[in-house]
Amino acid sequence: MKVLLVKMSSLGDVFHALPAVQDAYQQVPNLEIHWLVEEAFADIPNWHPAVTKVIPIAWRRWRKNLSSADVRAEMKAFYQDLRSTEYDIVLDAQCLIKSAAVTRMAKGPRYGLDKQSCREPLAAMAYQFPQAVAKGQHAIPRVRQLLSQVLDYQIPDTFSYGIDRSRWQRPEMEGGYEGDYWLFLHGTTWDTKLWSESYWVELSKLVVASDRRVVLPWGNDEEKSRAERIANKINGVEVLPKMGLNALNAYLAHAQAVIGVDTGLSHVVAALEVPSVAIYGATDAVLTGVLGPKVEVLSSGLECAPCLNKQCTHPDRNDGNPAQPPCYRSISPPRVFEAALAKLEA
């Protein structure tokens, strides 16, 4: 059976689909999946053995310059590639208007969520066989239910992302270090999702004192400066060079533990099934947060959390440490350290 899976973006959304792909891979004989995904994430579907072809789409880039002749030529080539295959099933697992429009272009019977189940109900008009999947659930079980209904199999009691960590070799570390290390995903998009820099320093001291090293990746100048400030305060903290996702995955896959905030890379860690702690304060982990057998999610218990605000408005925000939003004060470095140790022992 040849299936086109449409799951374009974002990074977290792409990883949310992998447990469903693993279910189908285990349950459906002779399954072959082609995955249509944003070009920035095109490497990820190839990590799963059920995916035999990746079809990159550059909509995020194209929409900025639709009048360009080069862009129009790329769009034409994409359309011709998409139309070159007849599928047994075309399945939109994103169910947004943009993904529904792309699904409508493909050859084959079209499936997706019905209008009561879609986040954008108009998307359901593109599907010949709309499916009902209850809202109010985390994205991962919703996608698992969607695929199981379309492909007609029972969902297993346990889940896995189906990614083999051994495909990445342990990277060479500074000074030839070969011991255990913890990796900190300290960068994210909103200020209200950041855990305090002073907390990262305190946690680094706890990790180094336990005879482990700390490794700090970064993706922009602000994150690089933060990583360097932390490393300058403590011996045993290594700042990595800037690198792409595949190179960083080698460090993630071989870490003894990973500590992260609400960021797309925390979903990568969950998929690799590395023991990890994910820290949530201003944002909500219930519907789209990090989920996996090796992940411990620590969420704020503050009455206003999750506020989903990019700027903190809590009346105590300027008390104590002004750089620390109040919702993270209960998620202290010792608490995070103990939670990570518990995941190692589980």
Side-chain angles (χ1 to χ4, degrees), residues 62-93:
W62 293 341
R63 67 186 181 185
K64 297 176 182 177
N65 198 6
L66 291 173
S67 63
S68 163
D70 289 341
V71 166
R72 292 199 302 272
E74 284 187 45
M75 294 175 71
K76 181 180 179 180
F78 162 78
Y79 179 76
Q80 291 172 338
D81 184 25
L82 181 61
R83 296 286 294 176
S84 66
T85 302
E86 180 87 31
Y87 293 99
D88 298 302
I89 289 174
V90 177
L91 176 57
D92 184 0

Side-chain angles (χ1 to χ4, degrees), residues 148-336:
S148 71
Q149 290 173 198
V150 172
L151 298 178
D152 192 23
Y153 60 82
Q154 292 293 318
I155 300 173
D157 292 334
T158 59
F159 85 84
S160 166
Y161 289 81
I163 296 175
D164 183 1
R165 278 191 286 161
S166 67
R167 67 184 293 143
W168 292 280
Q169 295 183 345
R170 177 175 168 128
E172 293 185 8
M173 298 188 66
E174 195 174 79
Y177 180 77
E178 296 182 350
D180 293 328
Y181 65 90
W182 289 18
L183 188 145
F184 294 171
L185 298 173
H186 56 95
T188 187
T189 50
W190 302 356
D191 287 346
T192 51
K193 294 198 289 186
L194 290 170
W195 206 45
S196 170
E197 186 173 318
S198 64
Y199 279 10
W200 289 116
V201 171
E202 186 178 347
L203 183 60
S204 297
K205 291 177 179 178
L206 292 171
V207 174
V208 171
S210 69
D211 201 26
R212 301 169 171 97
R213 182 174 285 194
V214 172
V215 173
L216 301 176
W218 54 275
N220 56 43
D221 290 343
E222 179 184 348
E223 292 174 10
K224 182 182 180 183
S225 296
R226 183 190 306 119
E228 289 173 341
R229 289 193 299 271
I230 295 168
N232 287 338
K233 291 182 173 71
I234 309 154
N235 290 326
V237 177
E238 178 181 343
V239 178
L240 298 179
K242 190 173 185 179
M243 60 186 65
L245 181 58
N246 262 321
L248 179 57
N249 264 9
Y251 286 92
L252 295 172
H254 291 274
Q256 187 186 46
V258 177
I259 313 298
V261 291
D262 181 7
T263 176
L265 288 172
S266 291
H267 296 278
V268 181
V269 178
L272 294 173
E273 297 188 7
V274 174
S276 60
V277 175
I279 301 167
Y280 281 76
T283 52
D284 192 357
V286 173
L287 298 182
T288 58
V290 181
L291 188 66
K294 296 286 188 179
V295 181
E296 178 73 20
V297 174
L298 297 182
S299 296
S300 175
L302 203 64
E303 68 279 359
C304 59
C307 65
L308 307 180
N309 290 331
K310 294 184 179 182
Q311 292 186 334
C312 180
T313 58
H314 192 279
D316 295 337
R317 64 188 179 277
N318 293 321
D319 294 347
N321 179 0
Q324 180 60 59
C327 56
Y328 293 104
R329 292 174 191 165
S330 64
I331 309 176
S332 66
R335 182 184 172 193
V336 172

Side-chain angles (χ1 to χ4, degrees), residues 119-133:
R119 193 170 75 191
E120 296 180 357
L122 282 175
M125 297 178 65
Y127 316 131
Q128 295 163 309
F129 303 96
Q131 306 291 308
V133 175

